[in-house]
Structures are given as structure tokens and as C-alpha cells.
Amino acid sequence: HAKENGRNQLFFFEPQMQQTLKRRQQMELALKQALVKQEFQVFYQPKVNTFGTIIGYEALIRWQHPEFGLVSPDSFIPLAESTGLIIDIDSWVLENACQQINKLSSQGQALSIAVNVSQRQLARKDFVELVSNIVVASGIDPTLLELEITESMLNDDLENTRKKLDALSQLGILFSLDDFGTGYSSLYYLQKLPMNVLKIDQSFVRAFLTQETDYAIVKTIIAMAKALSLKVVAEGVEQQEQYEALIALECDFFQGYLFGKPAPLV
Ligand code: C2E
Ligand code: MG
Ligand code: MG
Ligand code: MG
């Protein structure tokens, strides 16, 4: 349409585009107020070992808006990133996760919690201070906190990123590479960064029992992780047969609807 309309016509005058833009602006405004209005909630999804015992949780944010309903993080995290709101949101999630670690510890359960880090947060000069301040203030055992980073966040300034991760590793915090296999040149990052855990992206797990290529990829990622002394988590495990096949491939930990959907921790 844009071409037909001619060069001088701005594309967002198309009603549909305008609608999208308007919705985005509404969304942005609502997102700005969501923290104060307490519309966010942190859900926790269990990770289990080969015996099915829960060894930890991943913190996953939820946004319940009175008008938009339940908004998926996949749709509002990018918006939060582009507006900078993600910094406050991620700090809030991290505080919540640390409180949960304390709560579990007080119940005699020394379980780890993994928190997703955003690109914008990691890129901040004061990332190390941001995280360590929250961790120290909470009084948690830092070895119970795991930060999840994706390959796509590691494009630029790897040396700087390495310094940041090293500093937090010194405190005892663990790092995992999330959505592994979906980004670029992962092996280089594994060599350079203080990683502890690889999380096989659920897109490989989904059909690995029927797709030969996916099976080969899953098998190879697990073998490589072992060779590098990393723990491996398979994401998106939904069927018992997948669980058993992954155990046979010597995968360490498992996360997926088979063991539990993300839910509030009580
Ligand atoms: P992720 O970190 O890779 O999280 C795993 C996603 O897979 C979650 O989606 C989870 O609900 C979903 N999942 C878990 N098991 C299964 C399964 O068996 N089948 C299927 N189909 N899906 C499963 P969710 O909660 O919608 O989060 C999407 C993404 O949003 C996350 O991907 C993460 O990148 C981001 N995210 C979530 N919470 C936060 C947060 O607090 N901060 C930041 N920066 N990002 C977050
Ligand atoms: Mg994650
Ligand atoms: Mg993932
Ligand atoms: Mg993901």
C-alpha cells in the first residue's frame, strides 16, 4: 500500500497502522504505571532432576492488566526494553526472587531460583552494582541465585560483559545460557564467559523424538555441555517419553509443563 500511496504520504496514516501505533502508545502508558499499580506478578516454574525432585525454579513475570488481560512477557518485555522500563521491572523481579529464596530457605529448602536478565539491564554500566546491591540487601546465599542470559544479548562488547559476569561470579552467583542454540556462535561465548548451565531451547525439545535433526542437536548439545563441565537443562519438556529420552542422553535437569506450569509460589 505504501508504494501505491506515493512517497509523500506517511505510512502510519493508514488506519490499520495508526491503530497499531495507538495501541502501542496505550500499552506503553499502561506499562509505565504497571509497577505502581501492582499489576505484575512473578510466577515460578519448577526445574527437576532425573528423579523428578524439584531442584529449583525459574522466575517468570506476568502482567495482569484490567483491560488488556494477561499480557505475555514475550510481547511486553520488548516494549519495556525499548522504553527503558525494563530496568525497574527486572530489579523488582530480582527482589521478588531473592525474597522467595529466603522464604524457601526458612522452610528448610535450599532451592535455587533463576532470573532472566534483559539485554538493556546487562548493558548498563552499573549492572554489577544493581544486582549485587539487591543480593546483599536480601541476605540470600548468592549461590542460590542463577541469572539467565541469552546468546542474542552477547553480540557487542563481550570483554565488558565478561568482566561483569566475572564480578558477579566472584560473589557466587551462577549463570546460565538460555534458549541455547537459537543465537550466534555460542561456543565462543562458552569459552569466554563464566557459564555454569546451558538451557536447551524448547524449539529443539518440542519435536526431538520425531525429528532426526532435532534429536541430533539435542544429543550434541548435551554431550558438548558435559565435555565443558556445564550442567544442562532441557526446556519445554511436556511428555514423559521426552523426559525419559533426555535422561537416557544424560541431560541433568528438566523444565516444562510435564513437571509444572509457571505458577505463584505459596
Ligand atoms: P524463557 O526464559 O526461555 O522462559 C521459558 C518460557 O517457556 C516461559 O514462557 C515458560 O512459561 C515457557 N514454558 C515452560 N515450559 C513450557 C512447556 O513445557 N511448553 C511450552 N510451550 N512452554 C513452556 P513465558 O513465561 O511466556 O516467558 C517468555 C520469555 O519472556 C522468557 O523466555 C524470557 O525470555 C522472558 N521473560 C519472562 N520473565 C522475564 C523477566 O522477569 N525478565 C525478563 N527480562 N524477561 C523475562
Ligand atoms: Mg529463561
Ligand atoms: Mg528459554
Ligand atoms: Mg525464551
Side-chain angles (χ1 to χ4, degrees):
H1 297 285
K3 253 185 187 164
E4 290 162 26
N5 290 343
R7 278 170 189 273
N8 295 328
Q9 206 152 11
L10 285 172
F11 66 90
F12 54 76
F13 277 105
E14 270 191 60
Q16 215 184 330
M17 285 288 210
Q18 203 167 20
Q19 190 77 43
T20 310
L21 191 71
K22 199 175 159 208
R23 192 180 154 84
R24 199 195 129 97
Q25 285 167 340
Q26 285 175 338
M27 203 61 137
E28 192 177 319
L29 199 65
L31 195 59
K32 275 194 182 129
Q33 299 166 345
L35 261 182
V36 181
K37 290 189 173 172
Q38 301 189 307
E39 291 168 355
F40 290 123
Q41 222 186 331
V42 185
F43 278 16
Y44 290 88
Q45 185 179 33
K47 276 180 288 181
V48 306
N49 63 14
T50 56
F51 302 108
T53 309
I54 294 176
I55 52 97
Y57 294 90
E58 177 174 5
L60 295 159
I61 195 168
R62 295 293 178 260
W63 179 22
Q64 183 71 55
H65 186 268
E67 199 183 316
F68 303 134
L70 189 66
V71 189
S72 155
D74 277 329
S75 58
F76 76 82
I77 295 285
L79 183 60
E81 286 245 15
S82 66
T83 54
L85 293 167
I86 193 71
I87 301 301
D88 287 339
I89 295 174
D90 277 347
S91 294
W92 181 80
V93 173
L94 185 58
E95 280 166 13
N96 195 299
C98 289
Q99 282 169 15
Q100 289 296 345
I101 292 176
N102 275 329
K103 213 162 149 191
L104 289 165
S105 296
S106 72
Q107 295 164 358
Q109 293 182 288
L111 297 178
S112 77
I113 291 187
V115 176
N116 293 284
V117 171
S118 68
Q119 169 136 36
R120 183 107 174 213
Q121 190 190 19
L122 180 65
R124 276 179 75 109
K125 278 206 181 77
D126 60 353
F127 175 70
V128 173
E129 285 78 16
L130 271 179
V131 173
S132 58
N133 284 346
I134 292 173
V135 168
V136 170
S138 73
I140 61 157
D141 170 359
T143 63
L144 294 178
L145 179 66
E146 197 175 302
L147 296 179
E148 297 195 358
I149 282 166
T150 61
E151 295 159 320
S152 53
M153 293 164 48
L154 301 170
N155 300 335
D156 37 52
D157 211 355
L158 193 67
E159 185 49 25
N160 222 332
T161 302
R162 187 189 60 76
K163 283 184 190 151
K164 291 175 186 173
L165 302 199
D166 275 344
L168 292 173
S169 291
Q170 298 283 311
L171 290 180
I173 294 170
L174 302 176
F175 285 95
S176 50
L177 203 47
D178 199 2
D179 303 347
F180 187 76
T182 61
Y184 296 109
S185 67
S186 349
L187 302 184
Y188 187 67
Y189 302 139
L190 291 180
Q191 181 207 18
K192 288 283 176 195
L193 300 173
M195 284 294 155
N196 308 90
V197 180
L198 277 195
K199 298 190 77 174
I200 308 174
D201 191 66
Q202 53 180 280
S203 61
F204 301 114
V205 175
R206 191 172 303 132
F208 87 110
L209 287 181
T210 49
Q211 302 287 318
E212 271 179 53
T213 320
D214 290 355
Y215 186 86
I217 290 171
V218 167
K219 186 178 170 171
T220 306
I221 293 176
I222 295 170
M224 184 197 66
K226 298 270 133 172
L228 296 171
S229 305
L230 297 165
K231 294 291 181 197
V232 206
V233 179
E235 298 190 295
V237 181
E238 294 186 358
Q239 300 157 5
Q240 181 67 25
E241 302 78 57
Q242 293 172 333
Y243 181 37
E244 284 165 15
L246 287 162
I247 291 174
L249 291 175
E250 294 188 54
C251 187
D252 300 294
F253 305 121
F254 314 84
Q255 185 179 344
Y257 295 167
L258 180 65
F259 314 102
K261 289 194 172 179
L265 257 192
V266 279

